[in-house]
Amino acid sequence: MPESYLDKDTSHCSAETRTSPLSQFVQSSLQRKLYMFSGFCTEHNVPACLSHISQEVSCLGLPPVWKESGGGSELNVVATLNCMYDLIQLHHRDMRTLENMEVEQLKSSSTADYLQLTATRLKEQLEISKRENTGLLERERQLQVKVKSLQNCLKNIKEEEQKLQSIIASRARQYNHEMKRKEREYNKLKERLNQLLVDKKERKPAIDVLNTIGRADGKRSLWKTKKTEEKHEGEMYKALLNNYDTRQRELMLENAELKKVLQHMKKDMISILNAGPTQNADKHEEILSEDEEEDVLDSSKESVELHCFHAREKLTNSIRLQWRRLKSHVERLDSQVSLTKTDEGKDTDVSRETHEEERDRLQEEIQHCKDLIQTQQQLFQLSASYDEEAPTVASNCWMLKEKECLQEEWRTLEEQRMIFEKKRKNFTEAAIRLSHERKAFEEDRATWLKYQFLNSNPFADSKNPSESKSAFPITEIETGATLDTEKLEQCRSESTSSTPSSTKPKRKTETMEQSSVSGENHQRIFWKEGSNHDGYSNHILTDERNSPI
Amino acid sequence: MNFSEVFKQTNQLVKISPDGKYMATCVQYRLVVRDVSTLQILHLFTCLDQVSHMEWSSDSLFILCAMYKRGLVQVWSLEQPDWHCKIDEGSIGLVCSQWSADGRHILNTTEFHLRITVWSLSTKAVSYIKYPKDCPKGVDFSKDGRYMALAERRDCKDHVSVFVCNDWHLFRHFETETQDLAGLQWSPNGCVLAVWDSCLEYKVLLYSLDGRFLSTYSAFEWSLGIKSVCWSPSSQFLAIGSYDEKVRILNHITWKKITQFEHPVTIDNTKATVYKEVERRPPVGSDELSIHNSGIGSTLLNTQSKYEICPLPIQIPAVKPDPDRANPKIGVSALAFSSDSRYMATKNDNMASAVWVWNMQKLRLEAVLEQISSVHCFQWDPKRPRLALCTGNSKLYLWSPGGCVSVQVPTEGGFQVQSLFWHCSGESLILLGEEQLCLCYMDTDQQDQ
């Protein structure tokens, strides 16, 4: 019975709640409960079920269904039916509220959805508008920057314009001033022209000089011919060339000095680098020797160098190279110092690093030196082609020196010979003079003696005195001829051989004149015989005098 | 330092002969020739009118006296005082008269610069040079006296003619690229001619002696340009002073600017010494005043002044020029090199009381002399680096690398030194006042501060 009622109820329910899925669920759950309830009450537990149900009903707020008192377990049918009816009403009411709640829930869920959608939409809108805002701010900033720059430009242009205006104003002032001046002069000119036209008597320019004066340089003036014109041109070009010459000389001197300074600098730098790490001493020596070679070559080819652009470039390049080396060396030293200061333990590493660095550097240097050698070779070739004498001169220079020495010696010898010749000439002349004088003197003496002799003829003893006189006059002659005594002494001292011979004087008297000229052999003539023969003595004497030269 | 007594002169016409032996002075219409060492009057010549210009011939034998109003030139001889020569330009007028470098020709510029008449005193011959230009320095003789450069204006264009002074033969004639040639000058070695434009255009053109164009230099456009030009005595430098208060130095090898010297109002950051003239009035009691007023008077009231070395930075007083006038008083108007080319003195017109001395070896400022009143004139000693300057008062100022000294000229009656020049030997200075002149003999050793 309850099943059928319940079925009716459920069908009733289903008719009402066909549309709601929730109610279908309820319905299904009811159906399940239906089967549960069917096993709830049996014949054995009726009172228990009754009491239970009444409890439940009273819990729900409905009047009780069964009263315990009454002696029997008779069911109050009316109450039960009422109870059932109330329960059904309750159920209906619950279902209705359930439906309303479902509807409400649906509504609220849909509004929630809708709100979510609007929220997302608004968020998107917000993002967009934020982006737009930043974009606009950026543009505004850019525009402000532009405005500033334009303002600066404007200021500059205004300043420039003012400057230009002031320039224009000053130029205008200057022009006006000049124009006024020119106008004044023009007016003066007009007046003067008027005056001249009106004035009949015109004073002509004239010069009134007392007398013309000579030219300042004292020369006569020349006609204006083509020759004078050419002379003027020539003088002018001479003046210009002199100027260029002096300037060129000065510049060359300056250049030479500067080159010397550069060479010294280079040497100093090389020496400084040499004084550096000893490991690289060999390399440096090599480089030094090469550079020295270079220097030697440079100095010997100075004139060629001036024409040779490569040589100049080479010098400057080598200076730059040395400077770079020096710089790197100093930097290395600095780094070394700093490293040793900071960390003592990394010595070995540092030194290794420095070794490596140095090795690299040295390799570079080797490369550079090779290049240098190549360029030097090229230059050598160039110089060889330019000046062919250079190598032969270089090889024969020592021979030249000897030659020069020999030449000098020869020259001195020649000079000495000339001197000797001169002296000899002088001596011969003096000897000739002396011989003439002596001749004359002897002749006088002879005449005098003759005279004496003739006068003193009756006195035969007086020979001796004449002899003695002859001896004395000889000494007198000797002393008298003091003009040539020095020479004679000289000659005697220079005598190569003094072989007295009696025969020679005789021979010599004949060839006296000739021998006196050539005279190299001077002999001492001993006065052997007492001379009664004045002529002979004369001869002897003259011979004596004449021989030594 | 000894000062001679004061002599009379008119028109600032006092010249020393080129050989340094004689001094010629013009007093009204008289020409007085004195011996320089004894100042005795050797000759006295009388001209026909007041002398406008007087000049010695190059061989010191003749003196030219020009009277521009009358259009007359009279030449006097020292050897033969009886000799006379008179050149009458007639109705054509006379504006300028000068000797040629050989001392035997006189160049007379007629009024309105219509022509230059060359009168020969050795042949009485006359030559004419047409179209000379009326500009501040239109004629220049080379130092050796061989050539003369003349600025001409033909067909609205500037030309330069070079004459051989020997026989007035027109040697070269060429057009210059100037708008309005203002001046020309030979270099001291006679090989280069510098030609410059008027102040409306900054342009310097350099021509070789044979007329070849060498180079041009222009520092800027439009603003007022060149105010003064000066060669160094060694011909190595050409100094150009301009209206922008700067001096630009060109070198003779490349003709390009090697440096420029500026004249700022505030001097700072240099190794230069600034000498400032400081006046110190001697204390004068009332008694002394009354006694001395009747007598010499002004010498006592002459204030002593000395130089003080001012520490840097220092401001030089500058005067802004009148904006409404042409040829404004701004810019470097005076340039002078010392005889050994080691120093250069400049004066900037808007700082008229200061003289700037530049060291040309180091190309920097050496000294600045700030005076109390504006500087009228300065000149270098022809033998040594010594600068003499005057400011229109009764003092003489000397600068040398050793120092600076201010000397009172001890004359009666208040002798105001308006200009000065050195004797060619560098042993004495000739000081010119308004109507007076005085000689100052230097000691052989330099004076230090």
Side-chain angles (χ1 to χ4, degrees), chain B residues 12-44:
Chain B
Q12 319 276 305
L13 287 171
V14 178
K15 300 265 163 78
I16 300 278
S17 64
D19 61 1
K21 288 192 207 154
Y22 310 107
M23 179 173 79
T25 331
C26 279
V27 184
Q28 296 289 327
Y29 53 89
R30 282 209 203 92
L31 175 68
V32 181
V33 181
R34 291 172 198 274
D35 182 276
V36 159
S37 37
T38 61
L39 293 177
Q40 297 274 353
I41 297 181
L42 296 173
H43 301 281
L44 188 65

mmCIF file of all heavy atoms in Angstrom, chain B residues 12-44:
data_model
loop_
_atom_site.group_PDB
_atom_site.id
_atom_site.type_symbol
_atom_site.label_atom_id
_atom_site.label_comp_id
_atom_site.label_asym_id
_atom_site.label_seq_id
_atom_site.Cartn_x
_atom_site.Cartn_y
_atom_site.Cartn_z
ATOM 1 N N GLN B 12 105.415 118.168 -34.421
ATOM 2 C CA GLN B 12 106.100 116.891 -34.159
ATOM 3 C C GLN B 12 107.108 116.550 -35.244
ATOM 4 O O GLN B 12 107.372 115.385 -35.541
ATOM 5 C CB GLN B 12 105.100 115.729 -34.066
ATOM 6 C CG GLN B 12 103.821 116.035 -33.311
ATOM 7 C CD GLN B 12 103.987 115.863 -31.829
ATOM 8 O OE1 GLN B 12 104.391 114.812 -31.373
ATOM 9 N NE2 GLN B 12 103.718 116.917 -31.067
ATOM 10 N N LEU B 13 107.676 117.588 -35.889
ATOM 11 C CA LEU B 13 108.619 117.340 -36.978
ATOM 12 C C LEU B 13 110.023 117.336 -36.420
ATOM 13 O O LEU B 13 110.709 118.358 -36.420
ATOM 14 C CB LEU B 13 108.461 118.416 -38.063
ATOM 15 C CG LEU B 13 107.210 118.283 -38.891
ATOM 16 C CD1 LEU B 13 107.031 119.500 -39.768
ATOM 17 C CD2 LEU B 13 107.252 117.044 -39.758
ATOM 18 N N VAL B 14 110.436 116.200 -35.929
ATOM 19 C CA VAL B 14 111.811 116.025 -35.457
ATOM 20 C C VAL B 14 112.293 114.713 -36.045
ATOM 21 O O VAL B 14 111.630 113.698 -35.907
ATOM 22 C CB VAL B 14 111.861 115.935 -33.909
ATOM 23 C CG1 VAL B 14 113.272 115.699 -33.444
ATOM 24 C CG2 VAL B 14 111.313 117.198 -33.303
ATOM 25 N N LYS B 15 113.411 114.763 -36.752
ATOM 26 C CA LYS B 15 113.913 113.527 -37.357
ATOM 27 C C LYS B 15 115.409 113.430 -37.138
ATOM 28 O O LYS B 15 116.130 114.421 -37.231
ATOM 29 C CB LYS B 15 113.640 113.514 -38.870
ATOM 30 C CG LYS B 15 112.178 113.615 -39.242
ATOM 31 C CD LYS B 15 111.562 112.256 -39.478
ATOM 32 C CE LYS B 15 110.059 112.345 -39.429
ATOM 33 N NZ LYS B 15 109.483 112.900 -40.656
ATOM 34 N N ILE B 16 115.858 112.204 -36.891
ATOM 35 C CA ILE B 16 117.292 111.948 -36.784
ATOM 36 C C ILE B 16 117.772 111.479 -38.154
ATOM 37 O O ILE B 16 117.065 110.732 -38.822
ATOM 38 C CB ILE B 16 117.570 110.851 -35.743
ATOM 39 C CG1 ILE B 16 117.050 111.272 -34.378
ATOM 40 C CG2 ILE B 16 119.040 110.508 -35.664
ATOM 41 C CD1 ILE B 16 117.948 112.159 -33.609
ATOM 42 N N SER B 17 118.948 111.882 -38.540
ATOM 43 C CA SER B 17 119.448 111.452 -39.846
ATOM 44 C C SER B 17 119.709 109.946 -39.828
ATOM 45 O O SER B 17 119.974 109.377 -38.768
ATOM 46 C CB SER B 17 120.743 112.190 -40.171
ATOM 47 O OG SER B 17 121.745 111.829 -39.247
ATOM 48 N N PRO B 18 119.642 109.309 -40.987
ATOM 49 C CA PRO B 18 119.836 107.862 -41.014
ATOM 50 C C PRO B 18 121.191 107.399 -40.488
ATOM 51 O O PRO B 18 121.303 106.286 -39.993
ATOM 52 C CB PRO B 18 119.686 107.509 -42.495
ATOM 53 C CG PRO B 18 118.813 108.576 -43.034
ATOM 54 C CD PRO B 18 119.160 109.820 -42.280
ATOM 55 N N ASP B 19 122.199 108.257 -40.597
ATOM 56 C CA ASP B 19 123.495 107.836 -40.055
ATOM 57 C C ASP B 19 123.627 108.172 -38.571
ATOM 58 O O ASP B 19 124.624 107.834 -37.947
ATOM 59 C CB ASP B 19 124.652 108.468 -40.841
ATOM 60 C CG ASP B 19 124.633 109.983 -40.787
ATOM 61 O OD1 ASP B 19 123.739 110.547 -40.119
ATOM 62 O OD2 ASP B 19 125.486 110.604 -41.404
ATOM 63 N N GLY B 20 122.611 108.794 -38.017
ATOM 64 C CA GLY B 20 122.573 108.999 -36.577
ATOM 65 C C GLY B 20 123.375 110.172 -36.072
ATOM 66 O O GLY B 20 123.509 110.364 -34.864
ATOM 67 N N LYS B 21 123.909 111.001 -36.969
ATOM 68 C CA LYS B 21 124.780 112.075 -36.482
ATOM 69 C C LYS B 21 124.025 113.364 -36.232
ATOM 70 O O LYS B 21 124.419 114.159 -35.379
ATOM 71 C CB LYS B 21 125.858 112.351 -37.531
ATOM 72 C CG LYS B 21 126.885 111.253 -37.613
ATOM 73 C CD LYS B 21 128.068 111.714 -38.438
ATOM 74 C CE LYS B 21 128.746 110.527 -39.081
ATOM 75 N NZ LYS B 21 129.465 110.858 -40.293
ATOM 76 N N TYR B 22 122.981 113.584 -37.000
ATOM 77 C CA TYR B 22 122.326 114.892 -36.929
ATOM 78 C C TYR B 22 120.870 114.738 -36.541
ATOM 79 O O TYR B 22 120.239 113.718 -36.769
ATOM 80 C CB TYR B 22 122.389 115.611 -38.284
ATOM 81 C CG TYR B 22 123.768 115.646 -38.880
ATOM 82 C CD1 TYR B 22 124.092 114.845 -39.960
ATOM 83 C CD2 TYR B 22 124.760 116.471 -38.345
ATOM 84 C CE1 TYR B 22 125.351 114.865 -40.505
ATOM 85 C CE2 TYR B 22 126.016 116.497 -38.885
ATOM 86 C CZ TYR B 22 126.321 115.688 -39.962
ATOM 87 O OH TYR B 22 127.566 115.709 -40.503
ATOM 88 N N MET B 23 120.351 115.838 -35.985
ATOM 89 C CA MET B 23 118.936 115.884 -35.657
ATOM 90 C C MET B 23 118.357 117.127 -36.306
ATOM 91 O O MET B 23 118.858 118.241 -36.106
ATOM 92 C CB MET B 23 118.751 115.963 -34.137
ATOM 93 C CG MET B 23 117.311 116.027 -33.743
ATOM 94 S SD MET B 23 117.086 115.913 -31.986
ATOM 95 C CE MET B 23 117.476 117.568 -31.484
ATOM 96 N N ALA B 24 117.285 116.927 -37.078
ATOM 97 C CA ALA B 24 116.651 118.070 -37.742
ATOM 98 C C ALA B 24 115.323 118.354 -37.073
ATOM 99 O O ALA B 24 114.552 117.440 -36.786
ATOM 100 C CB ALA B 24 116.421 117.753 -39.218
ATOM 101 N N THR B 25 115.080 119.616 -36.807
ATOM 102 C CA THR B 25 113.844 120.045 -36.139
ATOM 103 C C THR B 25 113.229 121.167 -36.940
ATOM 104 O O THR B 25 113.932 122.006 -37.487
ATOM 105 C CB THR B 25 114.164 120.597 -34.732
ATOM 106 O OG1 THR B 25 115.311 119.969 -34.234
ATOM 107 C CG2 THR B 25 113.015 120.390 -33.789
ATOM 108 N N CYS B 26 111.904 121.166 -36.964
ATOM 109 C CA CYS B 26 111.221 122.273 -37.628
ATOM 110 C C CYS B 26 110.560 123.150 -36.582
ATOM 111 O O CYS B 26 109.803 122.657 -35.748
ATOM 112 C CB CYS B 26 110.141 121.746 -38.567
ATOM 113 S SG CYS B 26 110.800 121.224 -40.120
ATOM 114 N N VAL B 27 110.871 124.400 -36.612
ATOM 115 C CA VAL B 27 110.222 125.340 -35.714
ATOM 116 C C VAL B 27 109.543 126.365 -36.604
ATOM 117 O O VAL B 27 110.203 127.186 -37.233
ATOM 118 C CB VAL B 27 111.262 126.031 -34.798
ATOM 119 C CG1 VAL B 27 110.572 126.928 -33.799
ATOM 120 C CG2 VAL B 27 112.134 125.006 -34.120
ATOM 121 N N GLN B 28 108.234 126.271 -36.682
ATOM 122 C CA GLN B 28 107.469 127.132 -37.594
ATOM 123 C C GLN B 28 107.973 126.960 -39.009
ATOM 124 O O GLN B 28 107.767 125.957 -39.632
ATOM 125 C CB GLN B 28 107.558 128.599 -37.162
ATOM 126 C CG GLN B 28 106.932 128.892 -35.805
ATOM 127 C CD GLN B 28 105.426 128.806 -35.853
ATOM 128 O OE1 GLN B 28 104.801 129.126 -36.869
ATOM 129 N NE2 GLN B 28 104.825 128.357 -34.783
ATOM 130 N N TYR B 29 108.619 127.974 -39.570
ATOM 131 C CA TYR B 29 109.086 127.839 -40.953
ATOM 132 C C TYR B 29 110.595 127.667 -41.033
ATOM 133 O O TYR B 29 111.172 127.733 -42.105
ATOM 134 C CB TYR B 29 108.652 129.061 -41.782
ATOM 135 C CG TYR B 29 109.046 130.373 -41.163
ATOM 136 C CD1 TYR B 29 110.280 130.947 -41.445
ATOM 137 C CD2 TYR B 29 108.189 131.048 -40.287
ATOM 138 C CE1 TYR B 29 110.661 132.140 -40.875
ATOM 139 C CE2 TYR B 29 108.559 132.233 -39.713
ATOM 140 C CZ TYR B 29 109.789 132.781 -40.003
ATOM 141 O OH TYR B 29 110.165 133.960 -39.437
ATOM 142 N N ARG B 30 111.213 127.442 -39.890
ATOM 143 C CA ARG B 30 112.668 127.271 -39.904
ATOM 144 C C ARG B 30 113.026 125.816 -39.703
ATOM 145 O O ARG B 30 112.337 125.082 -38.987
ATOM 146 C CB ARG B 30 113.314 128.102 -38.775
ATOM 147 C CG ARG B 30 113.416 129.553 -39.108
ATOM 148 C CD ARG B 30 114.617 130.177 -38.405
ATOM 149 N NE ARG B 30 114.366 131.607 -38.295
ATOM 150 C CZ ARG B 30 113.779 132.167 -37.234
ATOM 151 N NH1 ARG B 30 113.458 131.451 -36.190
ATOM 152 N NH2 ARG B 30 113.540 133.468 -37.233
ATOM 153 N N LEU B 31 114.143 125.475 -40.325
ATOM 154 C CA LEU B 31 114.659 124.118 -40.168
ATOM 155 C C LEU B 31 115.984 124.229 -39.428
ATOM 156 O O LEU B 31 116.897 124.913 -39.881
ATOM 157 C CB LEU B 31 114.880 123.489 -41.549
ATOM 158 C CG LEU B 31 115.540 122.113 -41.590
ATOM 159 C CD1 LEU B 31 114.615 121.068 -41.002
ATOM 160 C CD2 LEU B 31 115.881 121.741 -43.014
ATOM 161 N N VAL B 32 116.047 123.558 -38.282
ATOM 162 C CA VAL B 32 117.250 123.640 -37.462
ATOM 163 C C VAL B 32 117.932 122.273 -37.477
ATOM 164 O O VAL B 32 117.287 121.273 -37.205
ATOM 165 C CB VAL B 32 116.874 124.002 -36.001
ATOM 166 C CG1 VAL B 32 118.112 124.116 -35.153
ATOM 167 C CG2 VAL B 32 116.061 125.275 -35.966
ATOM 168 N N VAL B 33 119.195 122.261 -37.824
ATOM 169 C CA VAL B 33 119.951 121.004 -37.841
ATOM 170 C C VAL B 33 120.976 121.053 -36.723
ATOM 171 O O VAL B 33 121.780 121.971 -36.662
ATOM 172 C CB VAL B 33 120.655 120.784 -39.197
ATOM 173 C CG1 VAL B 33 121.411 119.462 -39.179
ATOM 174 C CG2 VAL B 33 119.656 120.803 -40.322
ATOM 175 N N ARG B 34 120.896 120.052 -35.847
ATOM 176 C CA ARG B 34 121.832 120.021 -34.721
ATOM 177 C C ARG B 34 122.673 118.754 -34.782
ATOM 178 O O ARG B 34 122.287 117.752 -35.386
ATOM 179 C CB ARG B 34 121.071 119.974 -33.389
ATOM 180 C CG ARG B 34 120.337 121.214 -33.028
ATOM 181 C CD ARG B 34 119.479 120.940 -31.787
ATOM 182 N NE ARG B 34 118.468 121.947 -31.657
ATOM 183 C CZ ARG B 34 118.629 123.112 -31.046
ATOM 184 N NH1 ARG B 34 119.786 123.407 -30.487
ATOM 185 N NH2 ARG B 34 117.643 123.985 -30.978
ATOM 186 N N ASP B 35 123.768 118.837 -34.083
ATOM 187 C CA ASP B 35 124.578 117.642 -33.902
ATOM 188 C C ASP B 35 123.973 116.855 -32.740
ATOM 189 O O ASP B 35 123.602 117.437 -31.729
ATOM 190 C CB ASP B 35 126.018 118.070 -33.565
ATOM 191 C CG ASP B 35 126.931 116.884 -33.415
ATOM 192 O OD1 ASP B 35 126.973 116.302 -32.305
ATOM 193 O OD2 ASP B 35 127.574 116.526 -34.391
ATOM 194 N N VAL B 36 123.878 115.564 -32.874
ATOM 195 C CA VAL B 36 123.151 114.783 -31.866
ATOM 196 C C VAL B 36 123.893 114.726 -30.539
ATOM 197 O O VAL B 36 123.310 114.786 -29.475
ATOM 198 C CB VAL B 36 122.889 113.354 -32.406
ATOM 199 C CG1 VAL B 36 122.614 112.391 -31.292
ATOM 200 C CG2 VAL B 36 121.726 113.365 -33.354
ATOM 201 N N SER B 37 125.199 114.616 -30.615
ATOM 202 C CA SER B 37 125.932 114.439 -29.356
ATOM 203 C C SER B 37 126.077 115.747 -28.598
ATOM 204 O O SER B 37 125.942 115.782 -27.379
ATOM 205 C CB SER B 37 127.300 113.834 -29.642
ATOM 206 O OG SER B 37 127.813 114.365 -30.842
ATOM 207 N N THR B 38 126.333 116.840 -29.307
ATOM 208 C CA THR B 38 126.561 118.102 -28.588
ATOM 209 C C THR B 38 125.333 118.987 -28.585
ATOM 210 O O THR B 38 125.258 119.940 -27.807
ATOM 211 C CB THR B 38 127.696 118.904 -29.255
ATOM 212 O OG1 THR B 38 127.294 119.210 -30.595
ATOM 213 C CG2 THR B 38 128.970 118.102 -29.278
ATOM 214 N N LEU B 39 124.385 118.684 -29.455
ATOM 215 C CA LEU B 39 123.164 119.483 -29.605
ATOM 216 C C LEU B 39 123.455 120.926 -30.004
ATOM 217 O O LEU B 39 122.654 121.828 -29.783
ATOM 218 C CB LEU B 39 122.320 119.443 -28.318
ATOM 219 C CG LEU B 39 121.722 118.068 -28.008
ATOM 220 C CD1 LEU B 39 120.970 118.101 -26.706
ATOM 221 C CD2 LEU B 39 120.790 117.607 -29.114
ATOM 222 N N GLN B 40 124.600 121.132 -30.607
ATOM 223 C CA GLN B 40 124.905 122.460 -31.147
ATOM 224 C C GLN B 40 124.196 122.627 -32.469
ATOM 225 O O GLN B 40 124.042 121.669 -33.233
ATOM 226 C CB GLN B 40 126.415 122.580 -31.418
ATOM 227 C CG GLN B 40 127.269 122.480 -30.209
ATOM 228 C CD GLN B 40 127.425 123.826 -29.551
ATOM 229 O OE1 GLN B 40 126.982 124.849 -30.085
ATOM 230 N NE2 GLN B 40 128.043 123.844 -28.386
ATOM 231 N N ILE B 41 123.773 123.846 -32.741
ATOM 232 C CA ILE B 41 123.119 124.108 -34.031
ATOM 233 C C ILE B 41 124.191 124.168 -35.102
ATOM 234 O O ILE B 41 125.136 124.952 -35.008
ATOM 235 C CB ILE B 41 122.331 125.434 -33.992
ATOM 236 C CG1 ILE B 41 121.212 125.321 -32.957
ATOM 237 C CG2 ILE B 41 121.761 125.741 -35.363
ATOM 238 C CD1 ILE B 41 120.363 126.551 -32.850
ATOM 239 N N LEU B 42 124.034 123.285 -36.101
ATOM 240 C CA LEU B 42 125.018 123.286 -37.180
ATOM 241 C C LEU B 42 124.547 124.129 -38.352
ATOM 242 O O LEU B 42 125.319 124.817 -38.986
ATOM 243 C CB LEU B 42 125.266 121.853 -37.651
ATOM 244 C CG LEU B 42 125.886 120.908 -36.626
ATOM 245 C CD1 LEU B 42 125.911 119.493 -37.170
ATOM 246 C CD2 LEU B 42 127.279 121.337 -36.253
ATOM 247 N N HIS B 43 123.267 123.969 -38.684
ATOM 248 C CA HIS B 43 122.731 124.722 -39.814
ATOM 249 C C HIS B 43 121.362 125.266 -39.460
ATOM 250 O O HIS B 43 120.644 124.678 -38.639
ATOM 251 C CB HIS B 43 122.577 123.841 -41.055
ATOM 252 C CG HIS B 43 123.847 123.218 -41.515
ATOM 253 N ND1 HIS B 43 124.792 123.899 -42.245
ATOM 254 C CD2 HIS B 43 124.329 121.981 -41.326
ATOM 255 C CE1 HIS B 43 125.803 123.090 -42.496
ATOM 256 N NE2 HIS B 43 125.558 121.920 -41.954
ATOM 257 N N LEU B 44 121.016 126.331 -40.146
ATOM 258 C CA LEU B 44 119.698 126.921 -39.948
ATOM 259 C C LEU B 44 119.192 127.323 -41.318
ATOM 260 O O LEU B 44 119.821 128.099 -42.024
ATOM 261 C CB LEU B 44 119.827 128.143 -39.027
ATOM 262 C CG LEU B 44 118.551 128.797 -38.554
ATOM 263 C CD1 LEU B 44 117.775 127.840 -37.674
ATOM 264 C CD2 LEU B 44 118.878 130.052 -37.769
#
